Amino acid sequence: MTDTLQDLQRKMDAAASRLDFEEARRIRDRINLMRGGASASAVAQADTSGLARQQPGAMGLGTSRQRPSPPPGWKPPPKPDLMTSGRKRRDRP
C-alpha cells in the first residue's frame, strides 16, 4: 500500500463524488497522517475510525469512562499546610 498523496487525493475526490463520505473521511485522515510525517506502513496500520481502542480492564466498574492515567514523569502537587489552609491574608495598614 504505497499510495502517494496525489493518488490518495484522487481516491478521496472519487469517494466524495460517489457520496461515500465515510470512505472520503478515512482517506482524508490518511492524507493528514502522511503530511504529518508518518510513514506509509504506520498510516496503513493507523486507526482512523475516530475511536480509541480500549484495553481490557481499562474501564471503571459501572461507568463508561476510562480511568485516566497521568503522563509519564508527573508528580502530584504537594499538600497544603493544614495550619495555613483556609485562612486569608490580613490586610496591612
Side-chain angles (χ1 to χ4, degrees):
M1 184 163 275
T2 59
D3 294 329
T4 63
L5 288 175
Q6 292 81 14
D7 293 337
L8 289 173
Q9 184 70 37
R10 280 191 224 107
K11 287 180 182 180
M12 182 179 71
D13 293 338
S17 67
R18 290 190 315 266
L19 302 179
D20 187 5
F21 298 116
E22 291 295 320
E23 180 64 21
R25 180 191 56 81
R26 280 188 214 93
I27 296 171
R28 180 204 63 206
D29 293 343
R30 289 178 56 197
I31 290 172
N32 288 338
L33 286 172
M34 287 181 75
R35 284 183 181 157
S39 66
S41 61
V43 169
Q45 295 176 355
D47 178 24
T48 59
S49 66
L51 299 174
R53 300 290 181 219
Q54 295 179 352
Q55 299 297 321
M59 307 259 315
L61 183 61
T63 181
S64 61
R65 295 180 57 192
Q66 288 185 331
R67 291 184 190 145
S69 58
W74 181 81
K75 294 180 186 175
K79 293 185 177 184
D81 184 13
L82 294 177
M83 297 299 288
T84 59
S85 63
R87 296 182 66 191
K88 294 182 183 178
R89 294 185 71 155
R90 286 192 231 173
D91 292 333
R92 296 184 185 208

